[in-house]
Amino acid sequence: AQSVTQLGSHVSVSEGALVLLRCNYSSSVPPYLFWYVQYPNQGLQLLLKYTSAATLVKGINGFEAEFKKSETSFHLTKPSAHMSDAAEYFCAVRGDNNNDMRFGAGTRLTVKP
Amino acid sequence: EAGVTQFPSHSVIEKGQTVTLRCDPISGHDNLYWYRRVMGKEIKFLLHFVKESKQDESGMPNNRFLAERTGGTYSTLKVQPAELEDSGVYFCASSRSLTSTDTQYFGPGTRLTVL
């Protein structure tokens, strides 16, 4: 069965520092992976998705993620954090029957001035 | 293009009462999904509509939950009677097609508190 695990429920970085949010997946078939972000009082917004076309995926707001099959990982990175990046981030994998998304528990990112 | 909308944004009810949540998907999206996030836990799938038909309702917790999508447009999720453990944020999402790579667009959620 498809699943994802996000390591770290809370991550805190200084403004301008590297952002690294970790996600590992478990899948019996080639996975389709997604990162969503939820800003306060808003819905989930798609940051980027991996669809097997390229292992390095670039998303919105300067975020990118690299699919590493050998490590079963799909970590989200951004070279330089901005205060506006403070939000909760969710890694997700498309479910077995394509009907649903399987989400990680979420990582709340705090950006310190 | 309007996004997925949900109503109400917040609902506070007492145990035993009934609550109905509404979701309006993006126009033209045949697929509509309901998810729930209980505090501190992951977002979990509840069910999936294709137009007005239930494609998969394997995530529905029990028979106190009833989802409908009359006419294949908006959907409602009724909880009757509500219990304390039903508290959480209920998200709705929609997508145009059923391909594995198709994006699901999420609404802002309805925060349900059962006292």
Side-chain angles (χ1 to χ4, degrees), chain B residues 43-60:
Chain B
I43 301 168
K44 287 202 169 179
F45 167 79
L46 295 179
L47 87 159
H48 169 214
F49 284 99
V50 178
K51 296 185 180 178
E52 67 275 9
S53 300
K54 291 176 185 173
Q55 181 80 4
D56 181 354
E57 52 184 328
S58 60
M60 294 287 264

Side-chain angles (χ1 to χ4, degrees), chain A residues 36 49 88 98-99 101 105, chain B residues 33 35 37 100-101 103-104:
Chain A
Y36 283 85
K49 62 182 178 182
E88 191 161 19
N98 288 338
N99 282 343
M101 304 282 279
Chain B
Y33 309 81
Y35 294 84
R37 189 185 192 197
S100 301
T101 58
T103 298
Q104 292 187 16

